Amino acid sequence: MTSTDTVTLTASNGEPIAVARFAPDGQPRGAALISPAMATKASYYTAVATWLADRDIVAYTFDYQGYGASARTPLKDVGADILTWAADAATVVDHV
């Protein structure tokens, strides 16, 4: 059985980054960060994250700022670019 919890990190520009953690019941033997493809919500990776957690690997997924669970405004109003999203990934790595 897998447990899932979420946390919202704050990017360097103050925007939210939603992160989900899929944890195994027992002692984890490793960790994996699933970095989403652009224009793909983190929820797309739920099945693989659960599969990893069922094999005792803690898995993390996240939505880049302005998209999916991290969105505060419509995507057309988001000022982020590929460099901003790369910094989002670095923020998540620092958290993990």
Side-chain angles (χ1 to χ4, degrees):
M1 190 61 148
T2 301
S3 65
T4 306
D5 59 311
T6 59
V7 63
T8 301
L9 305 179
T10 302
S12 60
N13 63 0
E15 293 294 318
I17 304 169
V19 179
R21 177 179 182 265
F22 298 78
D25 284 336
Q27 182 67 28
R29 60 185 178 94
L33 173 60
I34 302 169
S35 186
M38 283 189 276
T40 304
K41 293 179 182 177
S43 60
Y44 177 81
Y45 301 98
T46 297
V48 71
T50 300
W51 183 87
L52 288 166
D54 287 345
R55 283 146 186 83
D56 298 327
I57 297 171
V58 178
Y60 297 85
T61 63
F62 68 97
D63 280 312
Y64 296 108
Q65 62 179 272
Y67 196 75
S70 298
R72 295 194 303 180
T73 63
L75 187 57
K76 68 179 181 67
D77 296 331
V78 174
D81 59 21
I82 194 162
L83 297 176
T84 306
W85 290 323
D88 290 352
T91 298
V92 177
V93 167
D94 288 346
H95 172 74
V96 170

